[in-house]
Amino acid sequence: MPKILLIDDDPHIRDIVRFALAREGFAVMEAGDGARGLHLAREDAPDLVLLDIAMPEMDGTEVCRRLRRDSRVPIIFLSSRDDEIDRILGLELGGDDYVTKPFSPRELVARVKAVLRRALPSEPSPPPPPPPPELRHNRLRLDLDGVRAFWDEAEVVLTATEFGLLRTLAERPGKVFSRDALMDGAYATERYVADRTVDSHIRRVRAKFLAVGGAPVETVHGLGYKLSDCR
């Protein structure tokens, strides 16, 4: 829950802003003067400061100057003055945004959310899941790390290209692959796969699996090849 520090000497403004922020799930701390606000900012480390400029004794610009000596907490200035000099002064002091009174509580909440999105680090995307160590399809098993193929418990010794072709089929059971698509699947494993040699590789794969009673590759006439049901 992001913590918002509201520094404003007007209790009515504080009530309105506190209610609007609390309704959106923010935790709100309040200070009615600059000195108290500066103390809370340093003690409680808010995620954002809403800072009124025109306050007695220590005004908002002085609070901002002191905060910026050792903090980069986002600051949104609140002020009843709307002239350009006041706006530039506030932003050059280190403010992140500027809202003029009277303001809509909904607009203020939207500004707070926007500044927080820019200021708070986003959660890193979770790393992609590691590839499965093996592919299984009924009686066929491919050990991807060891580059080994099995039919039941019998190992079938394949070349890198043959393994790449079978792996491509096994990754998408039921999909019909053209010869070009199968070459693309094996290409990263071995770079010496020429057009129309896929048929020869498939014949060798079939012969090797047939020796142990297996038949992992099915021909789809006129289209290409797909993984069989491997039963």
Side-chain angles (χ1 to χ4, degrees):
M1 182 185 296
K3 292 190 297 183
I4 309 299
L5 172 58
L6 171 60
I7 308 174
D8 195 305
D9 63 331
D10 187 335
H12 179 65
I13 292 290
R14 295 202 307 272
D15 287 344
I16 293 173
V17 173
R18 181 183 64 252
F19 178 78
L21 291 172
R23 186 172 54 186
E24 294 295 321
F26 294 102
V28 183
M29 302 179 291
E30 297 179 46
D33 60 76
R36 174 64 179 163
L38 189 61
H39 174 77
L40 287 176
R42 289 172 171 167
E43 290 294 317
D44 294 325
D47 296 299
L48 183 142
V49 176
L50 291 172
L51 180 57
D52 183 29
I53 289 181
M55 292 186 293
E57 300 180 20
M58 185 187 299
D59 66 12
T61 57
E62 182 60 25
V63 173
C64 184
R65 284 192 187 95
R66 297 192 186 190
L67 275 178
R68 282 293 174 254
R69 293 173 187 171
D70 52 21
S71 172
R72 297 306 304 167
V73 61
I75 295 174
I76 297 179
F77 283 106
L78 308 176
S79 176
S80 56
R81 298 178 58 185
D82 192 27
D83 58 90
E84 186 177 10
I85 295 176
D86 200 21
R87 184 184 302 269
I88 292 173
L89 174 62
L91 296 179
E92 286 183 348
L93 282 170
D96 295 87
D97 204 350
Y98 188 106
V99 179
T100 304
K101 299 177 182 179
F103 50 78
S104 159
R106 182 177 298 177
E107 178 192 357
L108 180 63
V109 170
R111 297 280 192 96
V112 167
K113 290 180 177 179
V115 172
L116 283 174
R117 279 196 300 269
R118 296 195 300 265
L120 295 178
S122 59
E123 294 185 3
S125 300
E134 65 177 29
L135 292 173
R136 284 182 176 269
H137 190 69
N138 294 324
R139 300 171 70 183
L140 175 68
R141 179 168 64 90
L142 299 181
D143 174 2
L144 301 183
D145 291 337
V147 193
R148 301 169 69 193
F150 299 86
W151 187 266
D152 291 331
E153 297 304 317
E155 182 172 0
V156 180
V157 179
L158 302 176
T159 67
T161 299
E162 293 163 357
F163 187 87
L165 292 172
L166 190 56
R167 184 203 67 233
T168 301
L169 293 171
E171 286 174 341
R172 300 284 299 277
K175 175 179 171 59
V176 178
F177 287 85
S178 67
R179 291 174 175 83
D180 287 342
L182 280 176
M183 284 198 307
D184 290 342
Y187 188 78
T189 306
E190 185 173 302
R191 293 182 177 273
Y192 302 102
V193 183
D195 190 22
R196 305 301 298 180
T197 63
V198 173
D199 292 342
S200 297
H201 289 302
I202 293 295
R203 280 197 298 271
R204 289 197 291 272
V205 169
R206 282 173 164 161
K208 291 178 178 182
F209 274 88
L210 184 61
V212 296
V217 182
E218 181 179 333
T219 300
V220 181
H221 294 289
L223 296 175
Y225 300 97
K226 69 175 184 177
L227 193 72
S228 74
D229 61 11
C230 298
R231 297 187 186 277

